[in-house]
Amino acid sequence: MQRFSVFVFKKSPTICVLVMLVMVPFAVLLTKPLSHPIYIDKDYTAALRTADQYLYAWIMRDGRMAYDLVSENVKKNYADVNDFQIHFAGTSNPHHQAFEIIGDKRLSKDRIRFKVWYYEDYTGVYQPPYKRPEKSDFIELIKLDNYTWLVDKQ
């Protein structure tokens, strides 16, 4: 193989240039960024704060706290507060363990989407190390007023 590549490079520099011109853009396409560019301002930090509080409530399995952080659009998917709390708390094993969050995209002036990875843990069960899943979930927050953001999609 090495003799062939040396032969190609010496005998046909044009082929080498063409191969590079094809391969470089292809390689760039394969390296997707983790998220879109996000500009940090008061709205972003307020939305992030609400998202962090909501996800902290998820870890604590505190449906009451989370219910106060979701929009009417989310609430209408549940019969009542108790129904939301039961769904939000999840099971006792596996239990909610941790999350990672990163800003993904500002969808409009009043809507920001975050990528979220949720991690659960099985009590009493060994789980070997694993890579972060490439696919993430998303939560979207909407601006209610100058100081309030709510989770609108989960």
Side-chain angles (χ1 to χ4, degrees):
M1 179 68 179
Q2 200 167 17
R3 286 183 182 179
F4 175 74
S5 60
V6 170
F7 172 77
V8 170
F9 290 138
K10 286 183 177 179
K11 297 290 185 183
S12 185
T14 306
I15 291 175
C16 294
V17 170
L18 288 174
V19 168
M20 292 301 286
L21 288 174
V22 169
M23 294 302 285
V24 170
F26 184 68
V28 169
L29 288 175
L30 291 178
T31 57
K32 288 182 2 184
L34 190 56
S35 65
H36 305 3
I38 289 282
Y39 294 95
I40 311 302
D41 60 11
K42 276 187 161 190
D43 282 339
Y44 178 85
T45 56
L48 179 59
R49 179 184 174 104
T50 299
D52 285 340
Q53 290 172 337
Y54 175 80
L55 294 168
Y56 174 75
W58 177 79
I59 288 175
M60 301 306 294
R61 300 175 63 198
D62 187 343
R64 169 81 47 206
M65 176 194 279
Y67 193 78
D68 293 338
L69 299 170
V70 298
S71 70
E72 292 301 319
N73 189 42
V74 172
K75 291 176 182 176
K76 72 181 180 185
N77 295 315
Y78 302 93
D80 54 24
V81 177
N82 192 45
D83 185 35
F84 176 86
Q85 288 176 322
I86 290 169
H87 176 77
F88 190 79
T91 61
S92 59
N93 202 23
H95 57 273
H96 309 318
Q97 182 68 14
F99 65 87
E100 289 182 89
I101 183 170
I102 186 170
D104 179 57
K105 189 173 187 180
R106 190 176 291 259
L107 301 170
S108 71
K109 182 177 153 257
D110 297 333
R111 184 175 288 273
I112 298 175
R113 181 174 67 194
F114 294 90
K115 282 184 178 185
V116 180
W117 290 267
Y118 297 96
Y119 301 104
E120 295 187 324
D121 185 52
Y122 286 89
T123 302
V125 177
Y126 171 75
Q127 184 171 355
Y130 60 95
K131 290 171 120 181
R132 175 198 297 140
E134 292 200 18
K135 187 175 186 242
S136 64
D137 291 314
F138 294 95
I139 59 173
E140 289 182 17
L141 284 88
I142 57 166
K143 186 175 182 178
L144 194 62
D145 58 42
N146 283 337
Y147 306 102
T148 310
W149 285 77
L150 298 174
V151 175
D152 193 48
K153 288 186 181 176
Q154 51 182 0

